[in-house]
Amino acid sequence: MYRYIAQRLLLLVVTLIGVATITFFLSRVLPGSPVEMMIGFHPTAEQIAAAKKELGLDQPLHRQYVRFVSEAIRGDFGISLRTKQPVVEEIGRRSLATIELTLLTTLLLVVVGVPIGVISAVHSNSPVDHTVRTLSIAGVAFPVFIVGMLLQMLFYGKLGWLPLQGRLSSEVYLDHPFDRVTGMFLIDTLLARDYVAFRDAAAHIVLPLATLTLVTLPLVTRITRNLMMEVLQEDYVRTALAYGMPRRVVYYRYALKAMLIPLMTVVGLTLGFLLGGSVVVEFVFDWPGLGGYVARSIAASDFPAAVGVTLVLASAYLTVNLVVDLLYFVADPRLRRA
Amino acid sequence: MSTLEADVGGLAPAWTGAHRWKRIRHFVGSHPLFVIGLTVFLVIVVAALAAPWIATHDPLAIKFSEKLQAPSAEHYLGTDSMGRDIFSRVLYGARTSLMVGVVVVGLAIGIGLPMGLLAAYFGGRIDTTMMRIADVFLAFPPLLLPIAITAAIGAGLFHAMVALAISWFPWYARIMRSSVLRVKSELYVSAARAMGVNHTNVMIRHAVPNALTPVVVQGSLDFGYVILAAASLSFIGIGAQPPDIEWGLMAAAERAKFLDFPWTVLCPGLAIFVTVLAVNLVGDGIRDLLDPKHQEFK
């Protein structure tokens, strides 16, 4: 078990260095160098030389590479070209908004998506199952931003129930100064017992949350359904049903328990889709997290910021999946002895 | 010998002569969604190719005097905030999206296929090296890798396509590798080697054609996802740039006022949805046709 953990940690480090290497060499090999991005069009020769020196581009390639990777490992991604502030600090200010959104979405996916998948599998080829499958085939063809904008049209434009975008209304932001204890507004406002601010924060998160959940739901439902179909073929499920055990007990206690490990894997992998999807969702809803930040950084050719955020998001994803793999040992006692 | 015959093995005779048509007819009859998807897809392809003749206006012509008009007889899908005809732009946008799909999937297969082939055919250290490289790419969250690569090389439609191809090729390397590994143990490969056929010929004439089916299936399934991903990249401003005509970019450009002028966003959005749905239905059909062992959803 410990050997396995050590192996996985090593693989994590190797992968991250690999990712840093890929981004580094792509940015140097392909047209559109960081210098061009930094100083824009039609620079003078002196400007180019000065910018190259500032970015360390006058050094030989291998030395640039070593410097880039060693600084990245220490969490130093340099200064944002756009805001002239350390990228690490900018990431720190925005990360909790993204964490709040993705955590809640994951929770919702498990609470909604998994039961739908189970029901679809248990009643396979029934009208319910066909509806779920048809919806998920149609669902994966929807672009994330159109789902978001449709929800905005309906709930803000037509019904006026929910705010269009952002994380808090400006009045609440000014008049309700609650402590940023965790950085997640839903928790912070409750800790401060500021229910007006809580309601405002909750109203703001509904649409981004719904969008991110809707676009990931087909994936979670489909995988859960396929996993459940496999488990239902098992002998012990058939035996339990033959003994006349209540179906609900068999499905939700025995079958679902056997699905626990593959399901944890699904949740880990879903996080990858969520991080990708959150970039678009945060952009649509002006959610002040890392996703919208990285999109704007790339559009503004802010190389250090863009690379820094993507590396941080990638590490988060890899770490979560490592933790998920390690949780196998908790979920399945047989693995601990191996 | 065709790819199909090899893959279905014992069923091969069913694919010759009259039986082949019988089987295809049966398949078409039992897969209505495939037929619908294929029809819609072909219509889109024809519309994209014939865009210059079907389009009612110049898709790039800016006319502020006609901006933000609702759909009418003059402008079938209305006009955008610069007075450009949305119907014509949606038509030309189909060209971009289909081109992106073909180029990205083609490029990804172009890189992944030789990698997988070499890895599986020679095995050993070549195999390990190639697959570790693929693993690094696969360890990355889906849409985030193209974003990271675009971050490194800058925004733009061409860069986004390169980025998407780079993040997709490891899948093809993996699939090709396992497919070739299966073919490699077949008798006809050993026989060819024993008869003195050199490695290059064995790979190109025997291994590749017979190992291609899963790659084709995966390619047809990926086509829609690539179109979606490219539209998302363009929407957040790191893919296509004006004056490119791209559906994601069209939706993004009208973001400021879309609540009052919903057609400016809904038309390109619906175009993406219909195209991706049709492509996915075709992809599912091709999978069922070429890979009868696939049992998902049964």
Side-chain angles (χ1 to χ4, degrees), chain A residues 15 19 22-23 26-27 30-31 37 133 137-138 140-143 145-146 149-150 152-153 156 164 222 225-226 229 272 276 279 283-284 295 298-299 303 306 310 313-314 317-318, chain B residues 136-137 139-144 147-154 159 166 228 231-232 235-238 248 251 255 258-259 262 265-266 269 272-273 276-277 280-281 296-298:
Chain A
T15 310
V19 169
I22 293 164
T23 40
L26 281 175
S27 68
L30 287 162
M37 293 190 190
R133 279 160 54 187
I137 289 173
V140 290
F142 261 111
F145 53 90
I146 288 298
M149 290 168 119
L150 281 173
Q152 282 179 327
M153 283 180 200
Y156 173 79
L164 180 64
R222 199 184 69 200
R225 180 181 182 277
N226 290 344
M229 294 288 274
V279 177
F283 190 80
V284 171
I298 297 173
F303 175 74
T310 42
L313 289 179
Y317 171 71
L318 292 171
Chain B
V136 170
F137 287 91
F140 226 76
L143 194 57
L144 213 57
I147 289 175
I149 297 172
T150 336
I153 62 183
H159 284 176
I166 291 177
L228 260 189
S232 290
F235 180 80
I236 59 176
I238 65 181
R255 225 160 69 81
F258 78 96
L259 287 171
V265 164
L266 289 182
I272 299 173
F273 173 68
V276 174
L277 186 59
N280 284 352
L281 291 178
E296 190 188 14
F297 284 167
K298 287 286 151 63

Coordinates of all heavy atoms in Angstrom, one line a residue, chain A residues 15 19 22-23 26-27 30-31 37 133 137-138 140-143 145-146 149-150 152-153 156 164 222 225-226 229 272 276 279 283-284 295 298-299 303 306 310 313-314 317-318, chain B residues 136-137 139-144 147-154 159 166 228 231-232 235-238 248 251 255 258-259 262 265-266 269 272-273 276-277 280-281 296-298:
Chain A
T15 N 4.2 14.0 -13.9 CA 3.1 14.5 -14.8 C 3.1 16.1 -14.8 O 3.1 16.7 -15.8 CB 1.7 14.0 -14.4 OG1 1.8 12.6 -14.2 CG2 0.7 14.4 -15.4
V19 N 3.7 18.5 -17.8 CA 2.8 19.6 -18.3 C 3.5 20.9 -18.4 O 3.4 21.7 -19.4 CB 1.6 19.7 -17.3 CG1 0.8 20.9 -17.6 CG2 0.8 18.4 -17.4
I22 N 5.6 20.9 -21.5 CA 4.9 21.0 -22.7 C 4.5 22.5 -22.9 O 4.8 23.1 -24.0 CB 3.6 20.2 -22.6 CG1 3.9 18.7 -22.6 CG2 2.7 20.5 -23.8 CD1 2.7 17.8 -22.2
T23 N 4.0 23.2 -21.9 CA 3.6 24.6 -22.1 C 4.8 25.4 -22.4 O 4.7 26.3 -23.2 CB 2.9 25.1 -20.8 OG1 3.5 24.6 -19.7 CG2 1.4 24.7 -20.8
L26 N 6.0 24.6 -26.1 CA 5.0 25.1 -27.1 C 5.1 26.6 -27.2 O 5.1 27.2 -28.3 CB 3.6 24.7 -26.6 CG 3.3 23.3 -27.0 CD1 1.9 23.0 -26.4 CD2 3.3 23.0 -28.5
S27 N 5.3 27.3 -26.0 CA 5.3 28.8 -26.1 C 6.6 29.3 -26.7 O 6.6 30.4 -27.2 CB 5.2 29.3 -24.7 OG 6.4 29.0 -23.9
L30 N 6.3 27.5 -31.1 CA 5.3 27.9 -32.0 C 5.3 29.4 -32.1 O 5.7 30.1 -31.3 CB 3.9 27.4 -31.5 CG 3.7 25.9 -31.8 CD1 2.6 25.4 -30.9 CD2 3.4 25.6 -33.2
P31 N 4.8 29.9 -33.3 CA 4.7 31.4 -33.5 C 3.9 32.1 -32.4 O 3.0 31.5 -31.8 CB 4.1 31.5 -34.9 CG 3.4 30.3 -35.1 CD 4.2 29.2 -34.4
M37 N 3.6 39.0 -27.3 CA 2.4 39.2 -26.4 C 2.5 40.3 -25.5 O 1.6 41.0 -25.2 CB 2.1 37.9 -25.6 CG 1.8 36.7 -26.5 SD 1.3 35.4 -25.4 CE 1.2 34.1 -26.5
R133 N -32.1 8.5 -21.3 CA -31.1 8.4 -22.4 C -31.3 9.4 -23.5 O -30.3 10.0 -23.9 CB -31.2 7.0 -22.9 CG -30.4 6.0 -22.0 CD -30.8 4.6 -22.2 NE -30.7 4.1 -23.6 CZ -31.1 3.0 -24.0 NH1 -31.7 2.1 -23.2 NH2 -31.0 2.6 -25.2
I137 N -28.5 12.2 -24.5 CA -27.9 12.3 -25.8 C -28.1 13.8 -26.3 O -27.1 14.4 -26.9 CB -28.7 11.4 -26.8 CG1 -28.3 9.9 -26.5 CG2 -28.3 11.7 -28.3 CD1 -29.0 8.9 -27.3
A138 N -29.3 14.4 -26.1 CA -29.5 15.7 -26.5 C -28.6 16.7 -25.6 O -28.1 17.7 -26.1 CB -30.9 16.1 -26.4
V140 N -25.6 16.3 -24.2 CA -24.2 16.5 -24.5 C -24.0 17.3 -25.7 O -22.8 17.7 -26.0 CB -23.5 15.1 -24.6 CG1 -23.4 14.4 -23.3 CG2 -24.1 14.3 -25.6
A141 N -25.0 17.6 -26.5 CA -24.8 18.3 -27.7 C -24.9 19.8 -27.5 O -24.7 20.6 -28.4 CB -25.8 17.9 -28.8
F142 N -25.4 20.2 -26.3 CA -25.6 21.6 -26.0 C -24.3 22.3 -25.6 O -23.6 21.8 -24.7 CB -26.5 21.8 -24.8 CG -27.9 22.1 -25.2 CD1 -29.0 21.2 -25.1 CD2 -28.2 23.4 -25.8 CE1 -30.3 21.5 -25.5 CE2 -29.5 23.7 -26.2 CZ -30.5 22.8 -26.0
P143 N -23.9 23.4 -26.2 CA -22.7 24.1 -25.8 C -23.0 24.7 -24.4 O -24.1 25.2 -24.1 CB -22.5 25.2 -26.8 CG -23.6 25.1 -27.8 CD -24.6 24.1 -27.4
F145 N -22.1 27.5 -23.0 CA -22.5 28.9 -22.9 C -24.0 29.1 -23.3 O -24.6 30.0 -22.8 CB -21.5 29.8 -23.8 CG -21.4 29.3 -25.2 CD1 -22.2 29.8 -26.2 CD2 -20.4 28.5 -25.6 CE1 -22.0 29.5 -27.5 CE2 -20.2 28.1 -26.9 CZ -21.0 28.6 -27.9
I146 N -24.5 28.2 -24.2 CA -25.9 28.4 -24.6 C -26.8 28.0 -23.5 O -27.8 28.7 -23.2 CB -26.2 27.6 -25.9 CG1 -25.5 28.3 -27.1 CG2 -27.7 27.5 -26.1 CD1 -26.0 29.7 -27.4
M149 N -26.8 30.9 -21.1 CA -27.5 32.1 -21.6 C -29.0 31.9 -21.7 O -29.8 32.8 -21.4 CB -27.0 32.5 -23.0 CG -25.5 33.1 -22.9 SD -24.8 33.2 -24.6 CE -24.5 34.9 -24.7
L150 N -29.4 30.6 -22.0 CA -30.8 30.3 -22.0 C -31.4 30.5 -20.6 O -32.5 31.0 -20.4 CB -31.1 28.9 -22.5 CG -31.0 28.6 -24.0 CD1 -31.1 27.2 -24.3 CD2 -32.2 29.4 -24.6
Q152 N -30.2 32.4 -18.3 CA -30.2 33.8 -18.0 C -31.5 34.5 -18.6 O -32.1 35.3 -18.0 CB -29.0 34.5 -18.6 CG -27.7 34.3 -17.7 CD -26.5 35.0 -18.3 OE1 -26.4 35.1 -19.5 NE2 -25.6 35.4 -17.5
M153 N -31.8 34.1 -19.9 CA -32.9 34.6 -20.6 C -34.2 34.3 -19.8 O -35.1 35.2 -19.6 CB -33.1 34.0 -22.0 CG -32.1 34.6 -23.0 SD -32.4 33.8 -24.6 CE -30.9 34.2 -25.4
Y156 N -33.7 35.5 -15.5 CA -33.5 36.9 -15.3 C -34.3 37.8 -16.3 O -35.1 38.6 -15.8 CB -32.0 37.3 -15.5 CG -31.7 38.7 -15.5 CD1 -31.6 39.4 -14.3 CD2 -31.6 39.5 -16.7 CE1 -31.3 40.8 -14.2 CE2 -31.3 40.8 -16.6 CZ -31.2 41.5 -15.4 OH -31.0 42.8 -15.4
L164 N -28.6 38.4 -12.9 CA -28.0 38.0 -14.2 C -26.6 37.4 -14.0 O -26.3 36.4 -14.6 CB -27.9 39.2 -15.1 CG -27.3 39.1 -16.5 CD1 -28.2 38.1 -17.3 CD2 -27.1 40.4 -17.2
R222 N -24.9 8.7 -17.3 CA -24.6 7.6 -18.2 C -23.6 6.6 -17.5 O -23.8 5.4 -17.6 CB -24.0 8.1 -19.5 CG -24.1 7.1 -20.6 CD -23.4 7.6 -21.9 NE -22.0 7.6 -21.7 CZ -21.2 8.4 -22.5 NH1 -21.7 9.1 -23.4 NH2 -19.9 8.4 -22.3
R225 N -25.2 4.6 -14.8 CA -26.1 3.6 -15.3 C -25.3 2.4 -15.8 O -25.7 1.3 -15.5 CB -26.9 4.2 -16.5 CG -27.9 3.3 -17.1 CD -28.6 3.9 -18.3 NE -29.5 3.0 -18.9 CZ -29.2 2.0 -19.7 NH1 -27.9 1.9 -20.1 NH2 -30.1 1.2 -20.2
N226 N -24.3 2.6 -16.5 CA -23.5 1.5 -17.0 C -22.9 0.7 -15.9 O -22.8 -0.5 -15.9 CB -22.4 2.0 -18.0 CG -23.0 2.5 -19.3 OD1 -24.2 2.2 -19.6 ND2 -22.2 3.2 -20.0
M229 N -25.6 -1.3 -14.2 CA -26.0 -2.4 -15.1 C -25.1 -3.6 -14.8 O -25.5 -4.8 -14.8 CB -26.0 -2.1 -16.6 CG -27.0 -1.0 -17.0 SD -28.7 -1.6 -17.1 CE -28.7 -2.3 -18.7
G272 N -12.6 17.0 -13.5 CA -11.9 17.5 -14.7 C -12.8 18.2 -15.7 O -12.5 19.3 -16.1
G276 N -12.9 22.3 -16.6 CA -13.0 22.8 -18.0 C -14.3 23.6 -18.2 O -14.2 24.7 -18.7
V279 N -14.6 27.2 -16.7 CA -14.0 28.3 -17.4 C -15.1 29.1 -18.2 O -15.2 30.3 -18.2 CB -12.9 27.8 -18.4 CG1 -12.3 29.0 -19.2 CG2 -11.8 27.1 -17.6
F283 N -17.1 32.6 -17.3 CA -17.1 33.7 -18.3 C -18.5 34.2 -18.5 O -18.7 35.4 -18.6 CB -16.4 33.1 -19.5 CG -16.1 34.1 -20.6 CD1 -15.0 34.9 -20.5 CD2 -17.0 34.4 -21.6 CE1 -14.7 35.9 -21.4 CE2 -16.7 35.3 -22.6 CZ -15.5 36.1 -22.5
V284 N -19.4 33.3 -18.7 CA -20.8 33.7 -19.0 C -21.4 34.5 -17.8 O -22.1 35.5 -18.0 CB -21.7 32.5 -19.2 CG1 -23.2 32.8 -19.3 CG2 -21.3 31.8 -20.5
A295 N -9.4 32.7 -18.9 CA -9.9 33.1 -20.3 C -9.5 34.5 -20.6 O -9.0 34.8 -21.7 CB -11.4 32.9 -20.3
I298 N -5.7 34.8 -21.3 CA -5.2 34.3 -22.6 C -5.6 35.4 -23.7 O -4.8 35.7 -24.5 CB -5.8 33.0 -22.9 CG1 -5.3 31.9 -21.9 CG2 -5.4 32.5 -24.3 CD1 -6.0 30.6 -22.1
A299 N -6.9 35.8 -23.6 CA -7.4 36.8 -24.6 C -6.5 38.0 -24.6 O -6.3 38.7 -25.6 CB -8.8 37.1 -24.3
F303 N 0.7 35.9 -20.6 CA 1.3 34.6 -20.6 C 1.6 34.1 -19.2 O 1.1 33.0 -18.8 CB 2.6 34.6 -21.4 CG 3.4 33.3 -21.4 CD1 2.9 32.2 -22.1 CD2 4.6 33.2 -20.6 CE1 3.6 31.0 -22.0 CE2 5.3 32.0 -20.6 CZ 4.8 30.9 -21.3
A306 N -1.8 33.2 -17.5 CA -2.5 32.1 -18.1 C -1.9 30.7 -17.7 O -2.5 29.8 -17.3 CB -2.6 32.3 -19.6
T310 N -3.5 27.7 -15.3 CA -3.7 26.3 -15.8 C -2.9 25.3 -15.1 O -3.4 24.2 -14.8 CB -3.4 26.2 -17.3 OG1 -2.2 26.9 -17.6 CG2 -4.5 26.8 -18.2
L313 N -4.7 24.7 -11.8 CA -5.9 23.9 -12.0 C -5.6 22.5 -12.2 O -6.2 21.5 -11.7 CB -6.8 24.5 -13.1 CG -7.5 25.8 -12.9 CD1 -8.3 26.2 -14.1 CD2 -8.5 25.7 -11.7
A314 N -4.5 22.3 -13.1 CA -4.1 20.9 -13.4 C -3.6 20.2 -12.1 O -4.0 19.0 -11.9 CB -3.0 20.9 -14.4
Y317 N -6.6 19.2 -10.0 CA -7.3 18.0 -10.6 C -6.5 16.7 -10.3 O -7.1 15.7 -9.8 CB -7.4 18.2 -12.1 CG -7.9 17.0 -12.9 CD1 -9.2 16.6 -12.8 CD2 -7.0 16.3 -13.7 CE1 -9.7 15.5 -13.5 CE2 -7.5 15.3 -14.5 CZ -8.8 14.9 -14.4 OH -9.2 13.8 -15.1
L318 N -5.2 16.8 -10.5 CA -4.4 15.6 -10.3 C -4.4 15.2 -8.8 O -4.4 14.0 -8.5 CB -2.9 15.8 -10.8 CG -2.8 16.0 -12.3 CD1 -1.4 16.4 -12.6 CD2 -3.1 14.7 -13.0
Chain B
V136 N 1.1 11.6 -19.9 CA 1.2 13.0 -19.4 C 0.0 13.8 -19.9 O -0.6 14.6 -19.2 CB 2.5 13.6 -19.8 CG1 2.5 15.1 -19.5 CG2 3.7 12.9 -19.1
F137 N -0.3 13.7 -21.2 CA -1.4 14.4 -21.8 C -2.7 14.0 -21.3 O -3.6 14.8 -21.1 CB -1.4 14.3 -23.4 CG -0.3 15.0 -24.0 CD1 1.0 14.4 -24.3 CD2 -0.4 16.4 -24.4 CE1 2.0 15.1 -24.9 CE2 0.6 17.1 -25.0 CZ 1.8 16.5 -25.2
A139 N -3.4 12.8 -18.4 CA -3.6 13.2 -17.0 C -4.2 14.5 -16.8 O -4.6 14.9 -15.7 CB -2.3 13.1 -16.3
F140 N -4.3 15.3 -17.9 CA -4.8 16.6 -17.8 C -6.3 16.7 -17.9 O -6.9 15.9 -18.7 CB -4.2 17.4 -19.0 CG -3.7 18.7 -18.6 CD1 -2.5 18.8 -17.9 CD2 -4.4 19.9 -18.9 CE1 -2.0 20.0 -17.6 CE2 -3.9 21.1 -18.6 CZ -2.7 21.2 -17.9
P141 N -7.0 17.5 -17.2 CA -8.5 17.6 -17.3 C -8.9 18.0 -18.7 O -8.2 18.9 -19.3 CB -8.9 18.7 -16.3 CG -7.7 19.2 -15.7 CD -6.5 18.4 -16.1
P142 N -9.9 17.5 -19.3 CA -10.3 17.6 -20.7 C -10.2 19.0 -21.3 O -9.2 19.3 -22.0 CB -11.8 17.2 -20.7 CG -11.8 16.2 -19.6 CD -10.9 16.6 -18.6
L143 N -11.1 19.9 -21.1 CA -11.1 21.2 -21.8 C -9.9 22.1 -21.4 O -9.5 23.0 -22.1 CB -12.4 21.9 -21.6 CG -12.7 23.1 -22.5 CD1 -12.7 22.7 -24.0 CD2 -14.0 23.8 -22.2
L144 N -9.3 21.7 -20.2 CA -8.2 22.5 -19.7 C -6.9 22.4 -20.4 O -6.2 23.4 -20.5 CB -8.0 22.1 -18.2 CG -7.6 23.3 -17.3 CD1 -8.6 24.4 -17.4 CD2 -7.4 22.8 -15.9
I147 N -6.9 24.7 -23.3 CA -6.8 26.0 -22.8 C -5.4 26.3 -22.4 O -4.8 27.4 -22.7 CB -7.8 26.2 -21.6 CG1 -9.2 26.3 -22.1 CG2 -7.5 27.5 -20.8 CD1 -10.2 26.3 -21.0
A148 N -4.7 25.4 -21.7 CA -3.3 25.6 -21.3 C -2.4 25.8 -22.5 O -1.6 26.6 -22.5 CB -2.9 24.3 -20.5
I149 N -2.7 25.0 -23.6 CA -1.8 25.1 -24.8 C -2.1 26.4 -25.5 O -1.1 27.1 -25.9 CB -2.1 23.9 -25.7 CG1 -1.7 22.6 -25.0 CG2 -1.3 24.1 -27.0 CD1 -2.1 21.4 -25.8
T150 N -3.4 26.8 -25.5 CA -3.6 28.2 -26.1 C -3.0 29.2 -25.2 O -2.5 30.3 -25.8 CB -5.1 28.4 -26.2 OG1 -5.8 27.2 -26.3 CG2 -5.5 29.2 -27.5
A151 N -3.0 29.0 -23.9 CA -2.3 30.0 -23.0 C -0.9 30.1 -23.4 O -0.3 31.2 -23.4 CB -2.4 29.5 -21.6
A152 N -0.2 29.0 -23.8 CA 1.2 29.0 -24.1 C 1.4 29.6 -25.5 O 2.4 30.3 -25.7 CB 1.8 27.6 -24.1
I153 N 0.6 29.4 -26.5 CA 0.9 29.8 -27.9 C 0.0 31.0 -28.3 O 0.2 31.5 -29.4 CB 0.7 28.6 -28.9 CG1 -0.7 28.1 -28.9 CG2 1.7 27.5 -28.5 CD1 -0.9 26.9 -29.8
G154 N -0.9 31.4 -27.5 CA -1.7 32.6 -27.9 C -3.0 32.2 -28.5 O -3.2 31.1 -29.0
H159 N -4.4 28.3 -33.7 CA -3.8 27.8 -32.5 C -4.7 26.9 -31.7 O -4.3 25.9 -31.1 CB -3.4 29.0 -31.6 CG -2.1 29.7 -32.1 ND1 -1.6 30.8 -31.6 CD2 -1.3 29.4 -33.1 CE1 -0.6 31.2 -32.2 NE2 -0.3 30.3 -33.2
I166 N -3.6 18.4 -30.2 CA -2.5 18.0 -29.2 C -3.2 17.3 -28.0 O -2.7 16.3 -27.5 CB -1.6 19.1 -28.8 CG1 -0.8 19.6 -29.9 CG2 -0.7 18.7 -27.6 CD1 0.1 20.8 -29.6
L228 N -17.8 21.1 -30.4 CA -18.3 21.8 -29.2 C -17.1 22.5 -28.5 O -17.2 23.7 -28.1 CB -18.8 20.8 -28.3 CG -20.3 20.6 -28.2 CD1 -20.6 19.7 -27.0 CD2 -21.0 21.9 -28.0
A231 N -16.0 25.6 -30.3 CA -17.0 26.7 -30.1 C -16.8 27.3 -28.7 O -16.9 28.6 -28.6 CB -18.4 26.2 -30.3
S232 N -16.6 26.5 -27.7 CA -16.4 27.0 -26.4 C -15.1 27.9 -26.3 O -15.1 28.9 -25.7 CB -16.3 25.9 -25.3 OG -17.5 25.2 -25.2
F235 N -15.8 31.1 -27.9 CA -16.8 31.9 -27.1 C -16.0 32.6 -26.0 O -16.3 33.8 -25.8 CB -17.8 31.0 -26.5 CG -18.8 31.8 -25.6 CD1 -19.8 32.4 -26.2 CD2 -18.7 31.8 -24.3 CE1 -20.7 33.2 -25.5 CE2 -19.6 32.5 -23.5 CZ -20.6 33.2 -24.1
I236 N -15.1 32.0 -25.3 CA -14.4 32.7 -24.2 C -13.2 33.5 -24.8 O -12.4 34.1 -24.0 CB -13.9 31.7 -23.1 CG1 -12.9 30.7 -23.7 CG2 -15.0 31.0 -22.4 CD1 -12.3 29.8 -22.7
G237 N -13.1 33.6 -26.1 CA -12.2 34.6 -26.7 C -10.8 34.1 -27.0 O -9.9 34.9 -27.3
I238 N -10.6 32.8 -26.9 CA -9.2 32.3 -27.1 C -9.2 31.4 -28.4 O -8.2 30.9 -28.7 CB -8.7 31.6 -25.9 CG1 -9.4 30.3 -25.6 CG2 -8.7 32.5 -24.7 CD1 -8.9 29.6 -24.4
G248 N -19.4 30.0 -32.1 CA -19.1 30.4 -30.7 C -18.8 31.9 -30.6 O -19.2 32.6 -29.7
A251 N -21.9 34.1 -30.9 CA -22.6 34.2 -29.7 C -21.9 35.1 -28.7 O -22.6 35.9 -28.1 CB -22.8 32.8 -29.1
R255 N -23.0 39.1 -26.7 CA -23.3 38.9 -25.3 C -23.9 40.1 -24.5 O -24.7 39.9 -23.6 CB -22.0 38.4 -24.6 CG -22.1 37.3 -23.7 CD -20.7 36.7 -23.5 NE -19.9 37.5 -22.7 CZ -19.9 37.6 -21.4 NH1 -20.7 36.9 -20.7 NH2 -19.1 38.4 -20.7
F258 N -27.8 40.4 -25.5 CA -28.6 39.2 -26.0 C -30.0 39.1 -25.3 O -30.9 38.5 -25.9 CB -27.8 37.9 -25.8 CG -27.8 37.4 -24.4 CD1 -28.7 36.4 -24.0 CD2 -26.9 37.9 -23.5 CE1 -28.7 35.9 -22.7 CE2 -26.9 37.4 -22.2 CZ -27.8 36.4 -21.8
L259 N -30.2 39.7 -24.2 CA -31.5 39.6 -23.5 C -32.6 40.3 -24.3 O -33.7 39.8 -24.4 CB -31.5 40.1 -22.1 CG -30.7 39.3 -21.1 CD1 -30.5 40.0 -19.8 CD2 -31.4 38.0 -20.9
P262 N -32.6 38.2 -28.5 CA -32.1 36.8 -28.3 C -31.7 36.0 -29.6 O -30.9 35.1 -29.5 CB -33.4 36.1 -27.7 CG -34.5 37.0 -27.9 CD -33.9 38.4 -28.1
V265 N -28.0 35.3 -30.4 CA -27.3 34.3 -29.7 C -27.9 32.9 -30.0 O -27.1 31.9 -30.2 CB -27.3 34.6 -28.2 CG1 -26.9 33.4 -27.4 CG2 -26.4 35.8 -27.9
L266 N -29.2 32.9 -30.1 CA -29.9 31.6 -30.2 C -29.6 30.9 -31.6 O -29.4 29.7 -31.6 CB -31.4 31.7 -30.0 CG -31.8 32.0 -28.6 CD1 -33.3 32.1 -28.4 CD2 -31.2 31.0 -27.6
G269 N -26.2 29.4 -31.6 CA -26.2 28.3 -30.5 C -27.0 27.1 -31.0 O -26.6 25.9 -30.8
I272 N -25.0 25.1 -33.5 CA -24.0 24.2 -32.9 C -24.7 22.9 -32.4 O -24.3 21.8 -32.6 CB -23.3 24.9 -31.7 CG1 -22.6 26.1 -32.2 CG2 -22.4 23.9 -31.0 CD1 -22.0 26.9 -31.0
F273 N -25.9 23.2 -31.7 CA -26.6 22.0 -31.1 C -27.0 21.0 -32.2 O -26.8 19.8 -32.0 CB -27.8 22.6 -30.3 CG -28.7 21.5 -29.8 CD1 -28.3 20.7 -28.8 CD2 -30.0 21.3 -30.4 CE1 -29.2 19.7 -28.4 CE2 -30.9 20.4 -29.9 CZ -30.4 19.5 -28.9
V276 N -23.9 19.2 -33.7 CA -23.2 18.3 -32.8 C -24.1 17.1 -32.6 O -23.7 15.9 -32.6 CB -22.9 18.9 -31.5 CG1 -22.3 17.9 -30.5 CG2 -21.8 20.0 -31.7
L277 N -25.5 17.3 -32.4 CA -26.4 16.2 -32.2 C -26.4 15.3 -33.4 O -26.3 14.0 -33.3 CB -27.8 16.8 -32.0 CG -28.9 15.8 -31.6 CD1 -28.5 15.0 -30.3 CD2 -30.2 16.4 -31.4
N280 N -23.2 13.3 -33.5 CA -23.1 12.3 -32.5 C -24.0 11.1 -32.8 O -23.6 9.9 -32.6 CB -23.6 12.9 -31.1 CG -22.5 13.7 -30.5 OD1 -21.4 13.8 -31.0 ND2 -22.8 14.4 -29.4
L281 N -25.2 11.4 -33.4 CA -26.0 10.3 -33.8 C -25.4 9.4 -34.9 O -25.4 8.2 -34.9 CB -27.4 10.8 -34.3 CG -28.3 11.4 -33.2 CD1 -29.6 12.0 -33.8 CD2 -28.6 10.4 -32.1
E296 N -22.9 -1.2 -24.7 CA -23.4 -0.1 -23.8 C -24.9 0.2 -24.2 O -25.3 0.1 -25.4 CB -22.6 1.2 -24.0 CG -23.0 2.2 -23.0 CD -22.3 3.6 -23.4 OE1 -21.8 3.7 -24.5 OE2 -22.3 4.4 -22.5
F297 N -25.7 0.5 -23.2 CA -27.1 0.8 -23.4 C -28.0 -0.3 -23.9 O -29.0 -0.1 -24.5 CB -27.2 2.0 -24.4 CG -26.9 3.3 -23.7 CD1 -26.6 4.4 -24.5 CD2 -26.7 3.4 -22.4 CE1 -26.3 5.6 -23.9 CE2 -26.4 4.6 -21.8 CZ -26.2 5.7 -22.6
K298 N -27.5 -1.6 -23.8 CA -28.3 -2.6 -24.3 C -29.1 -3.3 -23.2 O -28.6 -3.4 -22.1 CB -27.5 -3.7 -25.0 CG -27.0 -3.1 -26.4 CD -28.1 -3.1 -27.4 CE -27.9 -2.0 -28.4 NZ -26.7 -2.2 -29.2

